[in-house]
C-alpha cells in the first residue's frame, strides 16, 4: 500500500477537519488573550468628583481632558454619595477635593480589581501634581489580604466554567454528542444541575472557610457557582445537540477563548480594549466574575444584571437542548431499521436476496 493510501486510511476527512478546527482554536486563543491583555490601558473609567462650588465642574472638566481619555468624570454631591456609588459599583473611584489645603483624597475599591485601583492612583497623582496638589488614597472596598490582586473571584468562576463544559463534554463522549430523546436530554441537564450544586458548594467552601481568599456569604457564592456551572453546561449541551462533537470546540471558543480574557479578571473591564470590554459582561465568565466580586466586597450590590445573564444562558441552553433532542428522535424514527442478516451455513455462498427471474 502506498504512503498516500496509508494517510487516507489513517486520517479521515472528518478527522482532518477536526484537526483544522483545533488549529483555528489554538490561534484564536493566542489572538484573544494577547489582544485583550498585552497592553491594558484605562479608558473612560466611571469616576466621581466631589468639590466645593464651581471647583467641582472645573476639576471634572480637567480630568475629562487628560490624554488618552482615561477617566469619565461626573460631579457627585458629597463624599457619602461618592462612597455609596462606589459600593453600588456605579463608579470605580472618586476624587474628594479639599476645600482648604492642597491634599485631596482619592477613593478606590481594590476589591473590584487591584490593577484598576492602582491605575486610578497613578492617573490621579499625576493630574494633581500638574495642579500643584497632592493626593492620599483611601480603599473603601479593599481586597482580602489572601486575595492577591483581587484575582480569586476570577479564578473561582473559571473553575466553575471549566466544570460546566467538561461535564457536558464527558456526557457527550460517553453517550453520544446528541441526546437520542428528550428524556435523555432531561437526564443530562439534571446531571449538569447536580454537578453545579456540588461544584458551587465546593468552590465556595474552598475560597471562603478553607483558604480565606474571599469574604462574603458562602451561601450566596454557592448559589452563584451552581448557576455558573449550569449555564455553561447547558450551553455546551445545546451546542453539542445542534452540531455534534463540534459543539465542544464551540463551547471552548465562547467560554475560554472569548469569555476568559474579557471577564475582567486580571484587568477589569475599563482597562480592556473595546471589543473585549463589550462582550465580557454578556458571557458567563464575565458575568460570574462581576457577581462574585460584588458578593465578596460590595455587600452583594449590583449583581442582578449578571445573574440575569447567567439565567438567560441556562434557559436558552436548556430549551435548545430539548428541542434539538426532540428533532433528532423524530428524524431517527423516520429511518427504517435494517432487517436481520440472513442465516447461512459456514462455507456456504451468500444468499442472493433478489429472486430469480
Amino acid at each position: 500500500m502506498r504512503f498516500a493510501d496509508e494517510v487516507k486510511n489513517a486520517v479521515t476527512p472528518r478527522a482532518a477537519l477536526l484537526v483544522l478546527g483545533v488549529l483555528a482554536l489554538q490561534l484564536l486563543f493566542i489572538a484573544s488573550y494577547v489582544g485583550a491583555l498585552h497592553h491594558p490601558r484605562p479608558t473612560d473609567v466611571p469616576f466621581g468628583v466631589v468639590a466645593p462650588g464651581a471647583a467641582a465642574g472645573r476639576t471634572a472638566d480637567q480630568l475629562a481632558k487628560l490624554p488618552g481619555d482615561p477617566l469619565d468624570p461626573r460631579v457627585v454631591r458629597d463624599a457619602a454619595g461618592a462612597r455609596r456609588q462606589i459600593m453600588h459599583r456605579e463608579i470605580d473611584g472618586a476624587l474628594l477635593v479639599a476645600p482648604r489645603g492642597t491634599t485631596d483624597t482619592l477613593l478606590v475599591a481594590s476589591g473590584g480589581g487591584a490593577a484598576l485601583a492602582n491605575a486610578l492612583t497613578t492617573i490621579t497623582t499625576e493630574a494633581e501634581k500638574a495642579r500643584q496638589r497632592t493626593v492620599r488614597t483611601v480603599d473603601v472596598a479593599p481586597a482580602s489580604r489572601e486575595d492577591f490582586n483581587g484575582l480569586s473571584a476570577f479564578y473561582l468562576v473559571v473553575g466553575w466554567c471549566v466544570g460546566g463544559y467538561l461535564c457536558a463534554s464527558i456526557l457527550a463522549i460517553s453517550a453520544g454528542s446528541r441526546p437520542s430523546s428528550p428524556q435523555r436530554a432531561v437526564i443530562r441537564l439534571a446531571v449538569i444541575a447536580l454537578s453545579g450544586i456540588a461544584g458551587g458548594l465546593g468552590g465556595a467552601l474552598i475560597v471562603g472557610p478553607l483558604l480565606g481568599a474571599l469574604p462574603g456569604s458562602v451561601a450566596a457564592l454557592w448559589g452563584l457557582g451552581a448557576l455558573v456551572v449550569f449555564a455553561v453546561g447547558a450551553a455546551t449541551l445545546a451546542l453539542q445537540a445542534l452540531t455534534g462533537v463540534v459543539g465542544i470546540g464551540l463551547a471552548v471558543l465562547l467560554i475560554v477563548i472569548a469569555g476568559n480574557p474579557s471577564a475582567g479578571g486580571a484587568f477589569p473591564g475599563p482597562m480592556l480594549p473595546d471589543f473585549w470590554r463589550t462582550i465580557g459582561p454578556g458571557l458567563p465568565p464575565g458575568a460570574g466574575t462581576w457577581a462574585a466580586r460584588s458578593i465578596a466586597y460590595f455587600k452583594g450590590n449590583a449583581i442582578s444584571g449578571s445573574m440575569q445573564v447567567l439565567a438567560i444562558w441556562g434557559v436558552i441552553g436548556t430549551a435548545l437542548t430539548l428541542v434539538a433532542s426532540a428533532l433528532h428522535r423524530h428524524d431517527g424514527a423516520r429511518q427504517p431499521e435494517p432487517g436481520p442478516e440472513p442465516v447461512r451455513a459456514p462455507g456456504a455462498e451468500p444468499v442472493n436476496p433478489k429472486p430469480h427471474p
Side-chain angles (χ1 to χ4, degrees):
M1 183 179 288
R2 295 180 304 173
F3 179 74
D5 295 328
E6 290 282 2
V7 172
K8 289 180 180 178
N9 288 335
V11 182
T12 64
R14 181 172 181 268
L17 289 175
L18 290 175
V19 169
L20 291 175
V22 170
L23 175 61
L25 289 177
Q26 178 187 118
L27 298 179
L28 287 171
F29 184 98
I30 296 170
S32 183
Y33 277 72
V34 176
L37 307 176
H38 78 290
H39 183 55
R41 184 173 64 90
T43 305
D44 293 329
V45 180
F47 191 78
V49 175
V50 179
R58 289 197 304 269
T59 303
D61 290 340
Q62 292 170 354
L63 294 175
K65 295 176 182 177
L66 291 175
D69 298 321
L71 303 179
D72 178 18
R74 70 283 309 269
V75 174
V76 181
R77 177 179 297 180
D78 52 29
R83 288 175 179 269
R84 183 173 58 254
Q85 289 190 32
I86 291 174
M87 291 303 298
H88 282 80
R89 309 198 73 179
E90 298 171 6
I91 58 177
D92 292 305
L95 180 65
L96 312 181
V97 178
R100 298 180 181 83
T102 59
T103 300
D104 300 329
T105 301
L106 171 66
L107 304 181
V108 297
S110 61
L116 181 57
N118 293 336
L120 290 177
T121 300
T122 300
I123 293 168
T124 308
T125 299
E126 291 299 319
E128 290 284 87
K129 186 183 298 183
R131 300 168 57 220
Q132 288 79 47
R133 301 181 70 86
T134 58
V135 63
R136 68 182 186 96
T137 301
V138 175
D139 197 340
V140 299
S144 166
R145 293 183 179 180
E146 303 298 324
D147 182 12
F148 178 74
N149 278 347
L151 291 173
S152 296
F154 171 63
Y155 293 142
L156 173 64
V157 171
V158 167
W160 283 331
C161 289
V162 169
Y165 69 72
L166 281 184
C167 184
S169 300
I170 289 171
L171 291 173
I173 293 170
S174 63
S177 56
R178 292 183 172 96
S180 58
S181 68
Q183 291 80 4
R184 293 197 176 185
V186 170
I187 292 172
R188 292 191 185 188
L189 289 165
V191 171
I192 296 292
L194 292 174
S195 174
I197 292 171
L201 177 59
L205 291 175
I206 289 171
V207 300
L210 184 59
L211 298 179
L214 284 182
S217 168
V218 171
L221 287 175
W222 179 9
L224 172 64
L227 184 55
V228 170
V229 173
F230 184 79
V232 173
T236 305
L237 286 179
L239 292 171
Q240 292 169 169
L242 293 171
T243 65
V245 70
V246 175
I248 297 176
L250 294 176
V252 172
L253 175 65
L254 279 173
I255 305 303
V256 179
I257 295 176
N260 286 354
S262 64
F267 302 108
M271 300 187 72
L272 297 175
D274 290 342
F275 173 75
W276 287 269
R277 182 196 298 208
T278 300
I279 68 173
L283 296 174
T289 299
W290 176 277
R293 283 176 170 162
S294 290
I295 291 169
Y297 298 117
F298 297 91
K299 301 180 180 180
N301 293 321
I303 67 170
S304 60
S306 296
M307 301 299 278
Q308 289 171 17
V309 167
L310 294 170
I312 289 171
W313 278 91
V315 169
I316 292 178
T318 298
L320 289 178
T321 300
L322 294 174
V323 170
S325 64
L327 294 175
H328 180 63
R329 183 181 66 173
H330 180 66
D331 291 341
R334 290 189 302 179
Q335 297 179 1
E337 295 184 0
E341 290 290 333
V343 179
R344 58 189 176 92
E349 292 295 325
V351 178
N352 186 356
K354 296 182 179 180
H356 292 287

